[in-house]
Amino acid sequence: MDFTPSEEQQAARDLAARIFGDLSTHERLAAAGTGSDAELWKRLGGAGLLEAVESVGLLGLVLLLEEQGRTTAQVPFAATGVAGLLAMGAFGTRKQRETMGPGLRNGSLVAVGAFSATGPGHVRVSGGAESGDGSYVCALSGVVPVVPWLRDATHVLVPDRDRGLWVVRAEEAGVRVEPVETTAPWAAGRLTLDGARAERLGGPGPAAYESVRRAATIAYAGLQAGVCAGAVARAAEYTSQREQFGRPLSTKQAVQLRAADAHMDTEAIRVTAYEAAWRYDEGLPHATHALTAAWWASEAGRRVVHAGQHLHGGMGADLEHPVHRHFLWGRQIDAYLGGGGQSLERLGELLVAEGAEE
């Protein structure tokens, strides 16, 4: 295993760090409220960072999402990176790639995944048939209660209850999007489908759904690594400057130990996300590794963002303080991934199943 970024991955990461650092300031984030930052999204597309996802792979996307997480930048990067660029590259038909590819690369199209931590949900398929252009079209009906970044979406990847995967245009007849406020400002929505036209992504069966869902899990674990790194960095800066009895808080042993634990938890999230993404890109088995990354992102991520607030003392309770955004994002990613307990249960079931096959 070699997680050393390639020259292209490192260049993309450095560029992302500069753009996120320049535009995702405390003042701009406060002004954005719960909405997405359209100017930042346009800048990412114009700089070629969305297009770069196709060449840097999932590991490269994880590196870019780390930089987003450090600043809690309010853009649908993880969603479009996985449900748009990577999914279309792996499973899209030639027509789907030609139709959606240019818009996904420049940011004029936003694709999101209607994935739930509990499984594919109860969306029903009816009237499936081949269309004139060779794609397989059906009608979808059902409800997905919460979809991150849905209010920004032009396209949604929707799994049916049998784990088939479908592409739905957000403006299609029979599609209704209702705003949902989540812990973090992810422009989420409730998706209701009533006979909405959908095109199949990938062939029949669950292969496309399982692959894209695992990629999404790994991507959000990488995002969590950045969120936690940002929380630790803010805590380190604050405790180095804040004095108590004439000495910086950072000289207190209890503070040092709490910060060290948070740092090690962050590194564990990062390395498990890297390994899972690397294995995904290399075409190696990665299902257990994705769940391992999810467990660390949930369990350790929750500890880190709580520690970040705790180390800020009374300032950590200020809802307007920048560290509070890391707390909100960390808890939202934990919820999106289903929590550590569910990840551990699914991991155990998968290991048992793999053992029975040997």
Side-chain angles (χ1 to χ4, degrees):
M1 293 181 291
D2 183 4
F3 305 148
T4 304
S6 65
E7 288 187 11
E8 184 179 6
Q9 289 172 336
Q10 188 60 54
R13 185 181 196 175
D14 292 343
L15 178 58
R18 289 198 297 273
I19 293 175
F20 285 128
D22 289 343
L23 292 185
S24 294
T25 62
H26 174 56
E27 293 74 21
R28 281 180 56 84
L29 288 167
T34 60
S36 299
D37 189 333
E39 181 182 345
L40 174 56
W41 185 244
K42 184 176 180 180
R43 177 76 72 85
L44 293 171
L49 284 174
L50 300 177
E51 182 177 4
V53 172
E54 295 178 310
S55 56
V56 300
L58 183 55
L59 178 56
L61 177 59
V62 164
L63 296 173
L64 299 177
L65 292 174
E66 272 193 86
E67 300 307 323
Q68 178 187 0
R70 290 179 198 275
T71 60
T72 60
Q74 292 172 200
V75 288
F77 203 172
T80 292
V82 172
L85 294 155
L86 293 181
M88 284 298 158
F91 299 104
T93 65
R94 179 178 178 180
K95 184 176 186 300
Q96 287 170 337
R97 293 196 297 270
E98 289 176 349
T99 301
M100 296 180 58
L104 291 171
R105 296 183 192 106
N106 64 29
S108 61
L109 298 182
V110 174
V112 303
F115 304 130
S116 168
T118 58
H122 303 285
V123 173
R124 304 178 305 280
V125 175
S126 60
E130 295 283 348
S131 68
D133 60 12
S135 58
Y136 191 84
V137 178
C138 78
L140 295 183
S141 298
V143 177
V144 184
V146 181
V147 180
W149 309 107
L150 180 62
R151 301 199 304 261
D152 294 336
T154 58
H155 296 77
V156 189
L157 295 195
V158 183
D160 63 44
R161 58 188 177 186
D162 295 320
R163 297 185 297 169
L165 192 58
W166 305 87
V167 184
V168 179
R169 291 178 63 252
E171 296 182 353
E172 196 74 52
V175 177
R176 186 167 76 252
V177 174
E178 302 169 87
V180 173
E181 294 303 331
T182 53
T183 301
W186 284 6
R190 174 187 174 92
L191 178 67
T192 302
L193 304 171
D194 185 9
R197 183 185 185 278
E199 290 185 13
R200 184 161 61 195
L201 184 67
Y209 164 71
E210 295 293 351
S211 177
V212 177
R213 183 187 181 192
R214 287 195 295 267
T217 297
I218 297 165
Y220 278 87
L223 183 62
Q224 183 77 305
V227 170
C228 291
V232 172
R234 290 190 182 280
E237 180 181 14
Y238 178 81
T239 56
S240 296
Q241 296 174 353
R242 179 73 170 179
E243 292 189 356
Q244 187 180 65
F245 305 118
R247 297 172 57 194
L249 288 173
S250 59
T251 63
K252 310 293 184 182
Q253 188 178 50
V255 171
Q256 293 172 354
L257 293 174
R258 189 78 191 274
D261 285 343
H263 171 74
M264 293 306 296
D265 271 338
T266 301
E267 290 301 299
I269 300 169
R270 176 181 289 116
V271 73
T272 52
Y274 282 8
E275 181 181 11
W278 176 81
R279 294 183 68 89
Y280 180 96
D281 288 339
E282 294 295 316
L284 297 171
H286 57 275
T288 56
H289 301 80
L291 288 171
T292 300
W295 184 84
W296 275 104
S298 290
E299 291 289 310
R302 186 170 63 250
R303 288 196 296 267
V304 172
V305 295
H306 277 269
Q309 281 203 303
H310 186 199
L311 290 172
H312 278 76
M315 293 301 296
D318 182 0
L319 302 185
E320 303 301 321
H321 196 283
V323 78
H324 187 65
R325 279 193 291 271
H326 292 269
F327 176 79
L328 295 178
W329 277 65
R331 294 311 306 263
Q332 186 63 50
I333 294 172
D334 174 26
Y336 176 79
L337 295 174
Q342 182 168 298
S343 295
L344 196 61
E345 181 179 358
R346 289 167 54 201
L347 178 59
E349 292 172 350
L350 187 57
L351 291 172
V352 169
E354 290 181 350
E357 293 175 357
E358 295 179 354

